[in-house]
Amino acid sequence: MSHNTFGHLFRVTTWGESHGPALGCVVDGCPPGIRFKLEDVQRELDRRKPGQSRFVTQRREPDEVKMLSGVLPDGDDGHLVTTGTPISMLIENVDQRSKDYGDIAQQYRPGHADYAYDVKYGVRDYRGGGRSSARETAARVAAGALARLVVPGLKVRGALIAMGDKEITRANWDWDFVESADNPFFTPDPAAVPVFADYLDGIRKNGSSVGALIEIVAEGVPAGLGAPLYAKLDADIAAGLMSINAVKGVEIGDGFATARMTGEENADEMRGGNDGQPRFLANHAGGILGGISTGQPVVARFAVKPTSSILTPRQSVDRTGKEVDVMTKGRHDPCVGIRAVPIGEAMVSCAIADHYLRHRGQTGRI
Amino acid sequence: MSHNTFGHLFRVTTWGESHGPALGCVVDGCPPGIRFKLEDVQRELDRRKPGQSRFVTQRREPDEVKMLSGVLPDGDDGHLVTTGTPISMLIENVDQRSKDYGDIAQQYRPGHADYAYDVKYGVRDYRGGGRSSARETAARVAAGALARLVVPGLKVRGALIAMGDKEITRANWDWDFVESADNPFFTPDPAAVPVFADYLDGIRKNGSSVGALIEIVAEGVPAGLGAPLYAKLDADIAAGLMSINAVKGVEIGDGFATARMTGEENADEMRGGNDGQPRFLANHAGGILGGISTGQPVVARFAVKPTSSILTPRQSVDRTGKEVDVMTKGRHDPCVGIRAVPIGEAMVSCAIADHYLRHRGQTGRI
Amino acid sequence: MSHNTFGHLFRVTTWGESHGPALGCVVDGCPPGIRFKLEDVQRELDRRKPGQSRFVTQRREPDEVKMLSGVLPDGDDGHLVTTGTPISMLIENVDQRSKDYGDIAQQYRPGHADYAYDVKYGVRDYRGGGRSSARETAARVAAGALARLVVPGLKVRGALIAMGDKEITRANWDWDFVESADNPFFTPDPAAVPVFADYLDGIRKNGSSVGALIEIVAEGVPAGLGAPLYAKLDADIAAGLMSINAVKGVEIGDGFATARMTGEENADEMRGGNDGQPRFLANHAGGILGGISTGQPVVARFAVKPTSSILTPRQSVDRTGKEVDVMTKGRHDPCVGIRAVPIGEAMVSCAIADHYLRHRGQTGRI
Amino acid sequence: MSHNTFGHLFRVTTWGESHGPALGCVVDGCPPGIRFKLEDVQRELDRRKPGQSRFVTQRREPDEVKMLSGVLPDGDDGHLVTTGTPISMLIENVDQRSKDYGDIAQQYRPGHADYAYDVKYGVRDYRGGGRSSARETAARVAAGALARLVVPGLKVRGALIAMGDKEITRANWDWDFVESADNPFFTPDPAAVPVFADYLDGIRKNGSSVGALIEIVAEGVPAGLGAPLYAKLDADIAAGLMSINAVKGVEIGDGFATARMTGEENADEMRGGNDGQPRFLANHAGGILGGISTGQPVVARFAVKPTSSILTPRQSVDRTGKEVDVMTKGRHDPCVGIRAVPIGEAMVSCAIADHYLRHRGQTGRI
């Protein structure tokens, strides 16, 4: 996709830096006539919001969304309705600390985008990572909240399934627990909470960080979304997830495990179902065959690397090429993968909403 | 991306079905003034061509490329030069067997795109998989051969590193061996050849199939390619690789392994280098930070599932919803991952060429 | 739009040069399930074909279209059906004369694209104008023939309404006459034929050329096509028509005349109609308000400049900057505007088909 | 182009309605390292601002632009520098009058987009025309102010050359006068001011409106911008101008007059020039041949229809189909063409900036 826009008919353009006055997005192409409340969007933003437990960054941002265009009040109870014109959403940055950026402005933090941005643009907003900051993902979540409303019956949920070398037990999977108040990890396994908590407390106290694995499951995806060739649904989901900060791997269905499988193990058999639609006996494919949804749940997983903002000094260079040691103080997520759960849901929701409209456009069969 | 086009400035549109008269692509936006010979393109196609060993499909296709536009003869020695206008390339299908498609036309082969295409379009070219056939990838390889010429000094190579439960030994890695005549697997480990051969002979004789893992390494990628946000280089590589038939997972650099790593392990430290560019002490990032190339080799891996064309009967339904058992005869690759090596190289080459032009366009810094 | 592609959901990519082996297009995103015959496409190409009267170029090209992908036979009577995958169409060049291009290769013909292509690309296919030749428009007409089938009830017709200083009499307008065998001008006014014939014979014998004015009327355009802002239907029609060779002006409805009008004269009043749709009392707007179709006929006009291929020597320079006199021999259209009629119809048809799918995609209201 | 975005590498996405809290745009793809002051953008907005004479709408809007992202302070004197990331600009609506929209909400004003929006979307922001209001053009002007900075040496100017049946005298053309304080019309002919003033006072007092003709001249456009086929520079200029509210016609160079010309009259002859570039002896082509700039000034004209907001009652229908008479009170421009001058400049500037980057991307020849 182009620049800071993703999607084709349901198009999201985001803008903003970590320490600028605000960030936001323009959602263009949203169908008209969708009724919702602003709190439907705010709720998703609140899930991603920093400062909600000791396991995420302590930056205090209310992340309150303002909707500046593309909607009209609909009735007296706070409902809005989309008009079909572009929806501009804005979120103010309120807790960007004023401090001396002298060192960070000149030094390249290893594992961060500092050097890459500088070599690309020759100029860089070094305040809090600038455009490469994870704060930008608030805009994605806002857009994703609208995307969820586009496809009738769509339900997109995510869960953290591994952190460092700790994994959940799949047999314990409980979707309801993911959102429970005493679960700071979006994990579906209640038994994993104390394990993750102990582990991450150790990481956090050492000023270290750790990676994570997230799984997104989209139910209610109509069969027929996606298209040959570069418009494959899985290709767009892969691009969307890989475009999230710190993501280094994406897989669909059985993913990398299929490299070890035989054709007998991998193909999802079918039997007669209801409404003329087949009933699948397995879902190794993750709901997508030939790039097109089959009506089964769409399953994607992605790996989030540990943030490179750590207290241990690391070797690096500065803008002049001088060798320096870099240590990243400040407020950071010890496991950025936690808050990646609602972000991943948002990207999958946007990809599905976009393909829903594209499929309807080309075929008229929805 | 849209429909059957990928790339933004270096744009590739492919067309064609398995059993139609021909397939091909239009490469639009190629820089003018690139000198090459038709055999530079043909050589890449020959690497992907079927029928070259007992381990790939026995369909006999010369895959001879014709270049119909966008180039001029340049001198008397067979050189061509690009003119900057669209380059149309065409490859005839010559070995599409005339046979009775009665069953396949009506039945949905499990694991194939049959049902998905039918539910999407309501009509389907069932002959040899139609548009979802891997024959389409010949067009990608032709486009990739041009993409390689766009970026001065670019070298993109791929290798098969695992097949089923057999893996190479990385210590044996020998790029030269990948292309050697007695290596039917594009594997970089000479010791792996007999292992893969024995294993795949067993698979093949059982009428089964198996998945594989491929690694692509791009050297000579200038720092600065890629951009926030959906134009991240890794996002476009992920989309490109995921759009290849049968691919179910993509990772960059250490990929999924980063989920288990700490920040200390993962960040690539830097020291002073030459020409004002830093020297990296590791490449966990796979040459991409913040979506932008760092000048290190770009490393991507992808998983290819086993083809679902197997002799063991599988449960399925037909177009009317009737339950049937499907057994796929005919000529098939027991491990489609083998020929995916040049295809993966092509997709990575196209993504890099596209971003090279986009970076030059926006910044003028190349 | 990008490069050699136009349209968003109904996407047409054309390729080919005047003197290459062939030209063609890929139509991507065509809805599946459209039944037609190849002769439906050929018929449109025949209307644009050269050599059909003494008033157009004498180059002999059968312009026979081959359809290489994206369709299946449907029944035994020659019908085809679209499958939803890309449709590749190819037209061979058969009458590109082998001759000495020595002069033209080095000289810039005034009014032609020779200098512009050279300064842009540094290399140029000088044979017959290369990519800038009007032969490329055959591909547009082929694509337009499919576009016409996308929108149920759509009828797009065009007519030549002025040539040089000769104009038709609107009171004589007869759509049926436009296609009649004794009308070499696509003019709707039978009385204009002898006037145009005399006039153009004089032009032709002098080795001169002349411009023309064409009007396109699209009936059966559903209300609601087009969208703010750059996706306005009139903006896309303007771009499409302006992209035709030699076109220098485009207007919608009353067009330039509206600059002289008052608000009272210009606004199209409405009264109650049938089916809840208003009945318009005039069509100054040319069927488009706010960039969106109103259900009235869409009316567009465009001006075609005289070709610069004339026998009178003109001052110019060659590639080295040396001053030369250029005289263009060879086979040319004395009034390229004549054959622009089916081309204009094609571009308007493509824009409408694209917006039909886009409107259906976003709103589901068709 | 798609939806509310124009441009390909220099991409502008606008959003906002007449009576919402704000409007704005995101400029994505702007080159990094461009130094400017916020007042460079504000100055352009001030030129388009309402309420500056009795000849334009009396709505009081300061149109003060806020820049929310994509720039950094550069030095202490108020300079900013672009960072290469998206630039979000916001303009608050401050004078949207609170009033009873009862009638307008239900009725379709003839000549306005009311019916078209309603039939398309099924819902409509009727307050001040909603998205179809000319207030949106403020965002275009802001984007255009940045576009002007992208191409070194580019100068884009516009002028009103006709209003109703009054025309300027070209011999009087004085670019400096266009911006003079005692010229409320952006006209280049001092002698035309009293003529236009008298004429428009009459129109205004009658509650009527009138159309206008605007000419845009871009100097300093490098040769080589634009490309076959849909990426022709004139096609993108035509689309950009036609996308402005109330524009019904666009022409390049001699435009519609070329329909009456012969090849001898129309082709611009060349002689040897400086720096190896030819010197053109005329500019009938308006600086564009084959869709590519020649280095001559790019000349475009467009016709703006009279606004349909008039005091004379007009026949129409309401949303229920009931016949009504509509009279549009409120604050309106009696000649919307006047303020279209800076808007037209903005659109031409954006198209040229975009093609400058695209040309550099594909060819590296700038």
Side-chain angles (χ1 to χ4, degrees), chain C residues 60-82:
Chain C
R60 298 286 166 184
E61 289 288 350
D63 277 354
E64 190 183 328
V65 65
K66 291 178 186 164
M67 206 164 276
L68 301 175
S69 65
V71 294
L72 280 176
D74 193 39
D76 297 330
D77 63 347
H79 272 91
L80 301 170
V81 64
T82 58

Side-chain angles (χ1 to χ4, degrees), chain D residues 161-222:
Chain D
I161 58 175
M163 180 193 294
D165 57 4
K166 311 299 177 198
E167 294 184 20
I168 64 155
T169 302
R170 282 201 169 251
N172 294 346
W173 196 293
D174 176 359
W175 275 118
D176 290 337
F177 181 70
V178 171
E179 304 292 328
S180 87
D182 52 349
N183 178 0
F185 301 117
F186 294 107
T187 183
D189 175 6
V193 169
V195 180
F196 287 162
D198 278 359
Y199 178 67
L200 198 53
D201 273 331
I203 292 285
R204 186 170 58 86
K205 286 168 188 166
N206 288 335
S208 182
S209 65
V210 72
L213 201 58
I214 289 97
E215 180 165 318
I216 309 290
V217 179
E219 294 170 285
V221 181

Side-chain angles (χ1 to χ4, degrees), chain D residues 35-349:
Chain D
R35 283 189 96 228
F36 69 104
K37 290 189 171 184
L38 192 57
E39 64 203 55
D40 297 331
V41 179
Q42 190 61 52
R43 189 186 322 118
E44 293 300 322
L45 281 163
D46 290 347
R47 295 174 65 220
R48 192 215 69 101
K49 198 165 65 173
Q52 303 195 93
S53 80
R54 69 181 184 276
F55 301 110
V56 296
T57 174
Q58 296 307 301
R59 178 167 169 170
R60 299 287 166 182
E61 290 287 350
D63 278 355
E64 190 184 327
V65 65
K66 290 179 186 164
M67 207 164 275
L68 300 175
S69 65
V71 294
L72 280 177
D74 193 38
D76 296 331
D77 63 348
H79 271 92
L80 300 170
V81 64
T82 58
T83 60
T85 60
I87 299 168
S88 175
M89 293 188 280
L90 182 144
I91 296 159
E92 288 178 21
N93 287 323
V94 301
D95 188 27
Q96 64 276 52
R97 288 206 186 147
S98 174
K99 67 170 181 179
D100 177 14
Y101 285 102
D103 280 359
I104 289 180
Q106 297 304 321
Q107 297 178 348
Y108 298 135
R109 296 169 299 162
H112 276 298
D114 300 350
Y115 169 66
Y117 268 66
D118 234 4
V119 75
K120 179 177 189 69
Y121 295 121
V123 56
R124 171 169 60 95
D125 187 345
Y126 46 81
R127 303 165 305 171
R131 181 69 181 150
S132 71
S133 163
R135 266 206 70 62
E136 178 274 337
T137 59
R140 300 175 184 236
V141 170
L146 295 178
R148 291 168 188 268
L149 303 171
V150 168
V151 184
L154 177 67
K155 180 186 268 191
V156 180
R157 296 183 292 194
L160 185 144
I161 58 175
M163 180 193 294
D165 57 4
K166 311 299 177 198
E167 294 184 20
I168 64 155
T169 302
R170 282 201 169 251
N172 294 346
W173 196 293
D174 176 359
W175 275 118
D176 290 337
F177 181 70
V178 171
E179 304 292 328
S180 87
D182 52 349
N183 178 0
F185 301 117
F186 294 107
T187 183
D189 175 6
V193 169
V195 180
F196 287 162
D198 278 359
Y199 178 67
L200 198 53
D201 273 331
I203 292 285
R204 186 170 58 86
K205 286 168 188 166
N206 288 335
S208 182
S209 65
V210 72
L213 201 58
I214 289 97
E215 180 165 318
I216 309 290
V217 179
E219 294 170 285
V221 181
L225 308 195
L229 199 69
Y230 225 55
K232 284 180 171 174
L233 180 58
D234 38 4
D236 277 343
I237 288 175
L241 294 175
M242 193 66 96
S243 77
I244 300 172
N245 311 47
V247 172
K248 301 302 282 187
V250 181
E251 60 183 5
I252 304 291
D254 283 358
F256 275 89
T258 64
R260 308 177 72 90
M261 295 167 81
T262 64
E264 289 77 10
E265 295 163 329
N266 181 65
D268 302 321
E269 293 183 289
M270 291 172 265
R271 293 281 79 182
N274 299 321
D275 313 326
Q277 301 215 346
R279 178 171 48 89
F280 287 89
L281 307 184
N283 189 15
H284 299 289
I288 302 176
L289 286 171
I292 297 170
S293 63
T294 61
Q296 292 215 85
V298 170
V299 181
R301 266 178 307 281
F302 60 100
V304 180
K305 73 175 185 182
T307 178
S308 304
S309 298
I310 51 177
L311 285 179
T312 310
R314 310 304 290 167
Q315 301 182 78
S316 189
V317 295
D318 67 13
R319 296 191 74 185
T320 69
K322 205 185 103 200
E323 301 192 339
V324 294
D325 278 357
V326 175
M327 183 180 70
T328 312
K329 298 175 200 166
R331 304 163 297 179
H332 300 290
D333 288 277
C335 176
V336 287
I338 297 172
R339 297 200 291 138
V341 172
I343 305 166
E345 293 173 14
M347 297 312 291
V348 171
S349 299

Side-chain angles (χ1 to χ4, degrees), chain C:
Chain C
M1 288 303 304
S2 56
H3 303 10
N4 294 274
T5 297
F6 50 99
H8 204 67
L9 287 192
F10 186 88
R11 291 171 73 82
V12 180
T13 300
T14 79
W15 54 270
E17 278 86 26
S18 172
H19 281 52
L23 60 89
C25 64
V26 181
V27 177
D28 195 6
C30 189
I34 296 179
R35 284 189 95 228
F36 69 105
K37 291 189 171 183
L38 191 58
E39 63 203 55
D40 296 331
V41 179
Q42 190 61 53
R43 188 188 323 117
E44 293 301 321
L45 281 163
D46 290 347
R47 293 174 66 219
R48 193 214 69 102
K49 199 167 63 172
Q52 304 195 93
S53 81
R54 70 181 184 274
F55 300 110
V56 296
T57 174
Q58 296 307 301
R59 179 167 168 169
R60 298 286 166 184
E61 289 288 350
D63 277 354
E64 190 183 328
V65 65
K66 291 178 186 164
M67 206 164 276
L68 301 175
S69 65
V71 294
L72 280 176
D74 193 39
D76 297 330
D77 63 347
H79 272 91
L80 301 170
V81 64
T82 58
T83 61
T85 62
I87 299 168
S88 175
M89 293 188 279
L90 181 144
I91 296 159
E92 288 177 20
N93 287 324
V94 302
D95 189 28
Q96 64 275 53
R97 286 204 188 150
S98 174
K99 68 170 180 179
D100 176 14
Y101 284 102
D103 280 358
I104 289 180
Q106 297 304 320
Q107 298 179 348
Y108 297 136
R109 295 168 299 162
H112 276 297
D114 300 350
Y115 169 66
Y117 268 66
D118 234 4
V119 76
K120 178 176 190 70
Y121 296 121
V123 56
R124 171 169 60 96
D125 186 346
Y126 45 81
R127 302 165 306 171
R131 180 70 180 148
S132 72
S133 163
R135 267 208 67 63
E136 178 274 338
T137 58
R140 300 175 183 235
V141 170
L146 294 179
R148 292 169 189 267
L149 303 172
V150 168
V151 184
L154 177 67
K155 179 187 268 191
V156 181
R157 296 183 292 193
L160 186 144
I161 59 175
M163 180 192 293
D165 58 5
K166 312 299 179 197
E167 293 183 22
I168 64 155
T169 302
R170 283 202 170 251
N172 295 345
W173 196 293
D174 176 359
W175 276 118
D176 289 338
F177 180 70
V178 172
E179 304 292 328
S180 87
D182 52 349
N183 178 1
F185 301 117
F186 293 107
T187 184
D189 175 6
V193 169
V195 180
F196 287 163
D198 277 359
Y199 178 67
L200 197 54
D201 273 331
I203 292 285
R204 188 170 57 85
K205 285 168 186 165
N206 288 335
S208 182
S209 65
V210 73
L213 201 58
I214 289 95
E215 181 165 318
I216 309 290
V217 179
E219 294 170 285
V221 181
L225 308 195
L229 199 69
Y230 225 56
K232 284 181 171 172
L233 181 58
D234 37 5
D236 277 343
I237 287 175
L241 293 174
M242 194 67 96
S243 77
I244 300 172
N245 311 47
V247 172
K248 301 301 282 187
V250 181
E251 60 184 4
I252 304 292
D254 283 358
F256 275 89
T258 63
R260 309 176 72 91
M261 295 167 81
T262 64
E264 289 78 9
E265 294 163 332
N266 181 65
D268 302 321
E269 295 183 289
M270 291 172 264
R271 294 281 80 182
N274 299 321
D275 313 325
Q277 302 215 346
R279 177 172 48 90
F280 287 89
L281 307 184
N283 190 14
H284 299 288
I288 302 176
L289 286 171
I292 297 170
S293 62
T294 61
Q296 291 213 85
V298 170
V299 181
R301 267 178 306 281
F302 60 102
V304 180
K305 72 175 185 181
T307 179
S308 303
S309 300
I310 51 177
L311 285 180
T312 310
R314 311 304 291 167
Q315 302 181 78
S316 189
V317 295
D318 68 12
R319 296 191 74 184
T320 70
K322 206 184 103 198
E323 301 192 341
V324 293
D325 278 357
V326 176
M327 184 180 71
T328 311
K329 298 175 200 165
R331 304 162 297 178
H332 299 290
D333 288 277
C335 177
V336 287
I338 297 172
R339 295 200 293 138
V341 172
I343 305 166
E345 292 173 12
M347 297 312 291
V348 171
S349 299
C350 285
I352 291 170
D354 187 37
H355 277 282
Y356 180 83
L357 302 185
R358 289 157 82 169
H359 179 57
R360 182 163 70 184
Q362 186 184 4
T363 73
R365 289 168 67 88
I366 284 185

Side-chain angles (χ1 to χ4, degrees), chain A residues 149-299:
Chain A
L149 303 171
V150 168
V151 184
L154 178 66
K155 180 187 269 191
V156 180
R157 296 182 292 192
L160 186 144
I161 59 175
M163 179 192 294
D165 56 4
K166 312 299 178 197
E167 293 183 22
I168 64 154
T169 302
R170 283 203 169 249
N172 295 345
W173 196 294
D174 175 359
W175 275 120
D176 289 337
F177 181 69
V178 172
E179 305 292 328
S180 87
D182 51 349
N183 177 1
F185 302 117
F186 293 108
T187 184
D189 174 6
V193 169
V195 180
F196 287 162
D198 279 358
Y199 178 67
L200 197 53
D201 273 330
I203 292 285
R204 187 170 57 86
K205 287 168 186 166
N206 289 335
S208 181
S209 65
V210 72
L213 200 58
I214 288 96
E215 181 165 319
I216 309 290
V217 179
E219 295 170 284
V221 181
L225 308 195
L229 198 71
Y230 225 56
K232 284 181 171 172
L233 180 57
D234 38 4
D236 277 343
I237 287 175
L241 293 175
M242 194 67 97
S243 77
I244 300 172
N245 311 48
V247 172
K248 300 302 281 186
V250 181
E251 59 183 6
I252 304 292
D254 283 357
F256 276 89
T258 63
R260 308 176 72 89
M261 294 167 82
T262 63
E264 289 77 9
E265 294 164 330
N266 181 65
D268 302 321
E269 294 183 288
M270 291 173 265
R271 294 282 78 183
N274 299 321
D275 313 325
Q277 302 215 346
R279 177 172 48 89
F280 286 89
L281 307 184
N283 190 14
H284 299 288
I288 301 175
L289 287 171
I292 297 170
S293 63
T294 62
Q296 291 215 84
V298 170
V299 181

Side-chain angles (χ1 to χ4, degrees), chain A residues 17-61:
Chain A
E17 278 86 27
S18 171
H19 282 51
L23 60 89
C25 65
V26 181
V27 177
D28 195 6
C30 189
I34 296 180
R35 285 189 95 226
F36 69 104
K37 291 189 170 184
L38 192 57
E39 63 203 56
D40 297 332
V41 179
Q42 190 62 53
R43 190 187 321 118
E44 293 300 321
L45 281 163
D46 290 346
R47 294 174 66 219
R48 193 214 69 101
K49 198 166 64 172
Q52 303 195 93
S53 79
R54 69 181 185 276
F55 301 110
V56 297
T57 175
Q58 296 307 302
R59 179 166 168 170
R60 298 286 165 182
E61 290 287 352

Side-chain angles (χ1 to χ4, degrees), chain A residues 2-4 9 11 14-15 17 21 26 28-29 32 68-70 72 82-83 85-86 88 121 123-125 127 131, chain D residues 2-4 9 11 14-15 17 21 26 28-29 32 68-70 72 82-83 85-86 88 121 123-125 127 131:
Chain A
S2 55
H3 303 10
N4 294 275
L9 287 193
R11 292 170 73 82
T14 79
W15 56 269
E17 278 86 27
V26 181
D28 195 6
L68 301 175
S69 64
L72 280 176
T82 59
T83 61
T85 61
S88 175
Y121 295 120
V123 56
R124 170 170 60 96
D125 187 345
R127 304 166 304 172
R131 181 70 180 149
Chain D
S2 56
H3 302 11
N4 294 274
L9 288 192
R11 291 169 73 81
T14 80
W15 55 269
E17 278 85 28
V26 181
D28 195 6
L68 300 175
S69 65
L72 280 177
T82 58
T83 60
T85 60
S88 175
Y121 295 121
V123 56
R124 171 169 60 95
D125 187 345
R127 303 165 305 171
R131 181 69 181 150

